Amino acid sequence: MAIGIPGIGSGLDLSTVLDQMLAIERRPLDRNLAKQSNIDTQVSAYGTIKSAVSSFKSALSALRYPTAFNPATATSSSSAVAAATATGGAVASSYALVVTNLATAHKTASSVYTDATTSIGGTGTLTLTVDSTAYDIIVDGTNDTLEGIRDAINNTADLDVTASVINEDGGSRIILNSDNTGAASAIAITFSDDDSNNTDNAGLSKLFYIDAGDDTTAKVVTTAVDAQVTLDGFAITSASNTITSAISGLTINLVAAGSSTLTVSRDDAAIKTSIENFVDKYNALQSAITTARAGDLPNDSSLTFIRSGLNNVLNTAASGVGDYSSLAEIGISRDRYGVMSIDSTVFDSVLSSNHEDVMKLFSDDTEGFADRLYSYADDLLDTDGAIGSREASLADTKNYLQIAEANLQDRLDSVEARLVKQFAQLDATVSSLNSMSAYLTQQLAVLNQ
C-alpha cells in the first residue's frame, strides 16, 4: 500500500518535521561515512609513502653490487672505421683494431625476362640452401612468373632470404638477398627442372644460369664473406659486422676497412648519476613523510618509525669495509632537516682516488649502506612490515565500518518507514478532525440563524 506524503490532508508541515527527525537519526550513519572517508584519505597517503619507499628501494637495488661501480665507456679513435660500446664487464684497457674487410651478405640476380608477370617458360623445383638447410620452392603453372616466384620465396617459413624484382632497361630480374651476412649465409641454388636438364639455359634452370659472356644471364651481385679483423694483432673472423665475443663486455660495430684504437675506461659519471639518483629518492621519501605528517597522517606513529629506521641505518657506521665508514666521509651528508646532498668536489675526488673503498662502502654484502638500506626498505614493504601492517589495519577497519554502515542504513530505513506510517496516520486523524470541526462550525452557524 502506498504511503501518502505527511501533511497533505491535514495541512501541517509534517514533511519538515520528518526530515528533521530523520536527520537526527542519521547522525550515526554520517559519522560512520566520515570515518570511512578519513580511512580512504589515510590509505591514499600511505599509497604515496609506499610509492616513495619503492622508488627508494629501486634506486638502491643496483648499488648493492660491485658491478654498479664498474660501468665502462668505450671510444673509437676513428668512428669511420668502427664504433664501440662497453658494459660493466669490460675491463679498462685499449686495443689496436685493424679491419681488413667487412662481412657482406650474399646477393644474386636472375637472368633477364621480358617482364615480371609473364611466364618464365619453365617449371619444377627451385631449391635454396642457406647455412646447410635446404628449402624447396615449387614452381608450377600458378606461380611461374618472377612475381610468383618472389612471393613463393618470401612466404617460405624460416628461409632467411628476401626476394625482390628489379625492372631494368632490358627487362626484369628477380633479386635474392641473404638476410644475414657471412660466408655461412651464402645462398646455394639448384633445380629439379621439369625439362630434365637442371643446369642449362632453358626451362626453370635458366632462372639462375650464369654465362660470363652474356649480360642477360644471372650474376652474383655481392659475394658472402666474413669480416676479417685483428685486435692487438690477433686475427678474428666474424660472420657479422657486430662483434660481441672478442672482448668480454665490449661490442665492436665495424663500419669500414681501416685502423682504429678502441679505448675502454671506467665511467665515473655513470657511477655519480646512480648515487645522485639514490640521494634524490631518499629526499623524495623524506618529503613524502613530511607532507603526510603535516596533512593526512598527523601524529601517525608508523611515519615516526619509518624515519627513525632510516636514521638508524645511516647513523650506523660500516665497519671494516675499507677507508670509509660513513657516507659523510665521501661527501654525502644530511642537514638538520634531514635533506641529503652530495658535495661533488669531495665525492669526485674520493671516487677517482679510492674507487674500491667507495664501492665497498655501498656494496659490501653485510655492512654496505646500499645493502642495509635496501633490506630496510624491503622490510617496510613486506606484508608484515610497517607499511603493510598499517594498510592491513586500515583495510580491516574500513571493512568493519562498511558492515556497520549497512546495519545503520537498514535501521535508518526502518525508522523512516515507521515515522512515515505514523505521520500518515496523524495526518489522516488531523484531517478527519478538521473536517468534523468544519461540519460542527457549519451546523452551529445554522442554529444561530
Side-chain angles (χ1 to χ4, degrees), residues 59 63 67-72 266-281 330-332 340-352 355 358-359 362:
L63 295 176
T67 51
F69 293 86
N70 290 292
R266 191 179 71 232
D267 191 351
D268 284 355
I271 298 173
K272 188 175 182 180
T273 296
S274 296
I275 299 299
E276 288 172 337
N277 184 48
F278 148 68
V279 171
D280 289 343
K281 293 302 187 289
I330 63 170
I332 301 174
M340 186 179 286
S341 61
I342 301 177
D343 184 324
S344 290
T345 301
V346 175
F347 182 80
D348 292 347
S349 175
V350 297
L351 184 63
S352 175
H355 165 265
V358 173
M359 176 183 71
F362 279 91

Side-chain angles (χ1 to χ4, degrees), residues 5-261:
I5 300 175
I8 288 181
S10 66
L12 298 175
D13 189 7
L14 298 180
S15 291
T16 300
V17 176
L18 176 61
D19 289 343
Q20 292 173 345
M21 294 182 68
L22 288 175
I24 294 172
E25 294 289 340
R26 185 182 172 84
R27 287 175 182 173
L29 178 59
D30 290 338
R31 287 194 293 269
N32 177 290
L33 295 175
K35 290 178 181 178
Q36 289 192 56
S37 178
N38 183 51
I39 287 177
D40 290 339
T41 298
Q42 292 181 65
V43 169
S44 178
Y46 264 102
T48 301
I49 298 295
K50 187 175 184 178
S51 177
V53 173
S54 295
S55 296
F56 179 57
K57 177 184 172 183
S58 295
L60 291 162
S61 182
L63 295 176
R64 296 178 296 154
Y65 305 103
T67 51
F69 293 86
N70 290 292
T73 182
T75 58
S76 170
S77 63
S78 176
S79 59
V81 173
T85 55
T87 64
V91 177
S93 187
S94 63
Y95 307 91
L97 171 70
V98 177
V99 181
T100 303
N101 59 262
L102 299 177
T104 56
H106 188 196
K107 180 183 284 190
T108 189
S110 74
S111 299
V112 177
Y113 291 85
T114 302
D115 56 49
T117 59
T118 301
S119 172
I120 63 172
T123 56
T125 301
L126 164 65
T127 300
L128 304 179
T129 302
V130 181
D131 200 13
S132 302
T133 302
Y135 301 87
D136 291 335
I137 312 297
I138 305 301
V139 180
D140 54 27
T142 65
N143 65 350
D144 61 339
T145 65
L146 294 185
E147 287 187 351
I149 295 171
R150 174 200 64 191
D151 294 343
I153 292 171
N154 290 339
N155 290 331
T156 300
D158 301 323
L159 174 56
D160 291 333
V161 174
T162 300
S164 59
V165 171
I166 185 171
N167 299 308
E168 58 177 280
D169 290 343
S172 300
R173 300 178 190 259
I174 192 169
I175 308 294
L176 300 184
N177 199 128
S178 177
D179 293 342
N180 301 309
T181 57
S185 295
I187 308 167
I189 306 170
T190 57
F191 298 92
S192 177
D193 201 331
D194 285 347
D195 68 2
S196 300
N197 191 330
N198 301 326
T199 59
D200 65 346
N201 193 18
L204 182 62
S205 58
K206 175 185 175 180
L207 193 65
F208 286 100
Y209 179 83
I210 296 177
D211 185 343
D214 188 351
D215 288 340
T216 66
T217 61
K219 54 184 83 278
V220 175
V221 179
T222 305
T223 303
V225 297
D226 292 329
Q228 301 287 338
V229 306
T230 63
L231 275 172
D232 287 347
F234 299 100
I236 297 170
T237 301
S238 172
S240 169
N241 289 316
T242 299
I243 301 174
T244 59
S245 59
I247 299 171
S248 179
L250 183 66
T251 297
I252 306 169
N253 294 296
L254 306 179
V255 178
S259 301
S260 179
T261 299

